[in-house]
Every structure is written in C-alpha cells, then in structure tokens.
Amino acid sequence: MARMRAAARRQGAVADLRLDDDSRLTDRIRFEVAARLNALVETTAADLLHQAERLRAEDDGERDPVAPPSPAEAIARMRRAGLLHAPDLVAELVAQVRQQMLAEALPMENMAGDAPSLLVRLIEAPDRIVAASARAVLAAEGRARMVEADGEAIALPGAVRRNLVWTVAAALRQGDDAGLDRALAQAAERVLAAHGEAEGPGAAVLRLAEAIDARPAELPDLLLESLSDRQLGLFIALLAHATGIEHEELRDIVLEPEGDRLWLVLRSLDLGRAAVARIGLALSEADGRRDVDGFAEALDAIMAIPAADARRAIATLGLPRAFRDAMARLDEGAAR
C-alpha cells in the first residue's frame, strides 16, 4: 500500500506539471468543487442507506443482515477505484463554481438609476408568469447558497445524477451480500425516482428567460442589466433562449476566457458595438484570465463580422449535444 501511495503521488506530480496555466484550477475552485463533491456523495449515500435499511426491515426472510459501509467509506472506495472524480460530474461542478465566482466578481453598476434591481422589478412585473418565474429564480438562489451543507441543493443534469447514484450504490456493497445488493438496487431506483422531478442546472432562469421572451430591441439592455446586477445566470439564460443553444453549452461559452465563441454569439444576435464592448469589459474585469487589452484591439474585427456570417459560424451549436458529440467523434476518427 505504501508503494502504491508513493507511485500515485509521483504520477500526480507529473500530471500536474503537464498542465498549462489555463487548465490548472485555482485553490478556491479545487476547495469549492471538493466540498460540493463530498456533500453530493455523502447525501446520496445517506439517502441510499436509509432506503436500503427500510427495505431490508420489510424483508422477513433475511436473517442477521450485514451492516453496509458508512458514507465516508463509500467515498474512500470511490476514490481508490478512481470513480470519485467522474469527468462529467467534475466538469459540471467546476462550471457551477466558475459561474458563481465570475458572478461575484462582476462590477456592479446601477443602470436603472434609483429604480430597484432587474430581478426585483421582474418580481413586481404585471405579467404574472414573468413575476412567478422571477420569484422562482430568487428561491433557487437561496437554495444554491446551501450547497456546501446539503448535497440535495446541488442541481445536476439527469444523466450525471443517475451515474452518481448507481456508483455510490456500488460503493456501498458489502461482499457478496445478495440481500444488501437487492436493497441497494431498489433504494437507488427510489432515489432516482424522487429526483425525477428535480430541476437541472439553470432551469429557473431559463423559465424566466422564456417568460420574458425578449424582443431583439429589448435584449441588449436586458443583457447589460443582468451583468450589472451580477445575475450571470440570467445573462446566460437570455442568450440561450435567444440563440436556441443548450444552457450548458452556452454557459461554457460564456465562461471561456478567450471569448471567441461568445463574440460570435453576440454578433449572431446583431448586438451593437456599445453593447458588445460593455459586455466584454465587464467580463474582463471579473475574470483575471481574460485579456482586456486584446479584447479592445479585437473589437473592430469583432464588429466587422456580419450577423448572418456569425449565425452560420455557430449554427452547429444549436444542434443536440449527442449529435455534436457524434460529429466530433467522427471528425477525430477521420483525422487519425
């Protein structure tokens, strides 16, 4: 075991040195992601164990059931098996943390003068659908502040959630205890059924963007005001609704430090120079990885792109992710 640990440390050091600065996570991101990951696994394990115990208690034919491992042991087992840091799960959590950090760092600017913030005004909107959707966003923000203490508050895409639940269930097995295996399988199905109605990341702000259904003339001010209010989630949702690009894909585009795809998205909507400049400046001030001088020098070239050309350039981004993934695999195979 000591030799294995030493070898793992050496491999980890080599892997870390191979990373460039753009790929390396900051200490804060590592801490936040680790906290969310542990909360997710612990909460999922506790739910599975609770359901499994109830199911085994109902099984009159089982005698002297073997006690399953604790949530902490399940985490240790997943780590040893290399399953704790599942790529899809880690990518989702990193994106959530980056979005939160970028939103917190956005420069605040009251574009509405003495009027309340954008979200408050939407809550008070005469359109009841818009108002109800805005209240749901406010409630979702309150739940998001509980993510470190409660894994239930962390929204995950359905496929990522399913993989996590079944992996944790496998980590809770104890030898060849067939009774425990049956109970864990049924418990996993119950937990997944309970999460069937759970919302994925960005669901509340996407509903609000759909309720607002901004006209082209309204969109620039809404985008700028959502950034000035540090409502980055609403900014992403407004762009996703306007372009038809999936929320997770649009979120990745906004979080990219280079900004190349974001400028194409903004030009595809025919946003003017002032709006593009203010968006680029706000994101550059909030994200130290971005090159504000490079953006300023590239602004003329960005604005020279016709909206129709930009729409053609990003057309594939509006396709389903499974289709785009298959296209990428095909391109990679042809290149080999």
Side-chain angles (χ1 to χ4, degrees):
M1 288 298 294
R3 284 196 300 271
M4 291 172 62
R5 287 195 297 268
R9 291 192 187 99
R10 288 194 298 270
Q11 292 168 2
V14 172
D16 186 70
L17 286 172
R18 286 175 178 167
L19 295 175
D20 55 30
D21 291 339
D22 288 341
S23 302
R24 186 171 284 109
L25 300 178
T26 65
D27 289 342
R28 181 183 172 188
I29 293 176
R30 289 174 63 88
F31 175 81
E32 294 278 357
V33 170
R36 291 173 185 234
L37 189 56
N38 286 337
L40 272 170
V41 176
E42 288 176 359
T43 302
T44 303
D47 289 345
L48 288 170
L49 291 173
H50 175 70
Q51 293 297 328
E53 287 172 3
R54 289 184 56 192
L55 290 164
R56 298 185 84 182
E58 295 169 2
D59 189 351
D60 295 331
E62 188 169 1
R63 297 290 183 268
D64 300 324
V66 178
S70 66
E73 178 59 23
I75 291 175
R77 287 181 175 181
M78 291 172 64
R79 181 178 287 109
R80 288 194 296 269
L83 298 176
L84 182 61
H85 302 104
D88 289 347
L89 176 58
V90 170
E92 175 61 32
L93 296 180
V94 169
Q96 290 184 16
V97 171
R98 284 197 186 280
Q99 179 179 334
Q100 175 187 324
M101 292 173 57
L102 184 59
E104 292 172 353
L106 284 169
M108 294 195 72
E109 177 187 359
N110 190 353
M111 293 179 57
D114 295 332
S117 68
L118 174 62
L119 192 57
V120 171
R121 296 204 310 277
L122 292 173
I123 290 173
E124 298 171 349
D127 187 322
R128 290 193 297 174
I129 297 177
V130 171
S133 300
R135 286 194 296 271
V137 170
L138 198 61
E141 289 181 350
R143 290 193 299 272
R145 286 190 283 270
M146 299 293 293
V147 294
E148 290 185 10
D150 182 9
E152 283 293 319
I154 303 174
L156 293 176
V160 175
R161 174 78 66 180
R162 285 192 294 274
N163 185 58
L164 173 67
V165 170
W166 286 113
T167 302
V168 175
L172 290 172
R173 295 183 67 236
Q174 194 70 289
D176 295 325
D177 186 342
L180 177 58
D181 286 349
R182 286 194 303 272
L184 286 171
Q186 294 175 14
E189 290 171 350
R190 286 189 179 186
V191 169
L192 288 172
H195 279 287
E197 302 297 324
E199 295 182 335
V205 284
L206 278 172
R207 281 201 304 272
L208 177 56
E210 291 169 1
I212 295 171
D213 194 21
R215 304 276 78 84
E218 301 168 335
L219 186 60
D221 285 344
L222 284 169
L223 290 172
L224 291 171
E225 200 165 354
S226 61
L227 286 182
S228 68
D229 285 350
R230 293 181 172 172
Q231 290 290 335
L232 185 61
L234 180 56
F235 174 84
I236 293 170
L238 288 167
L239 284 179
H241 177 68
T243 60
I245 298 174
E246 292 179 358
H247 172 266
E248 287 78 10
E249 185 71 28
L250 207 294
R251 179 185 61 187
D252 291 344
I253 290 171
V254 171
L255 295 177
E256 289 170 352
E258 300 82 12
D260 298 336
R261 295 198 296 172
L262 177 58
W263 314 140
L264 284 173
V265 167
L266 297 180
R267 286 301 299 138
S268 75
L269 298 170
D270 205 13
L271 261 64
R273 183 186 184 91
V276 173
R278 291 181 66 178
I279 290 170
L281 182 60
L283 293 175
S284 296
E285 289 185 21
D287 189 348
R289 301 175 301 161
R290 297 175 189 258
D291 181 4
V292 63
D293 294 331
F295 167 70
E297 293 173 359
L299 186 56
D300 287 339
I302 293 169
M303 298 310 302
I305 302 172
D309 289 352
R311 282 192 287 272
R312 281 193 293 272
I314 66 168
T316 56
L317 294 176
L319 299 173
R321 180 179 289 271
F323 190 14
R324 288 185 284 111
D325 289 345
M327 292 163 60
R329 290 194 298 271
L330 192 65
D331 290 341
E332 291 170 2
R336 285 199 294 267

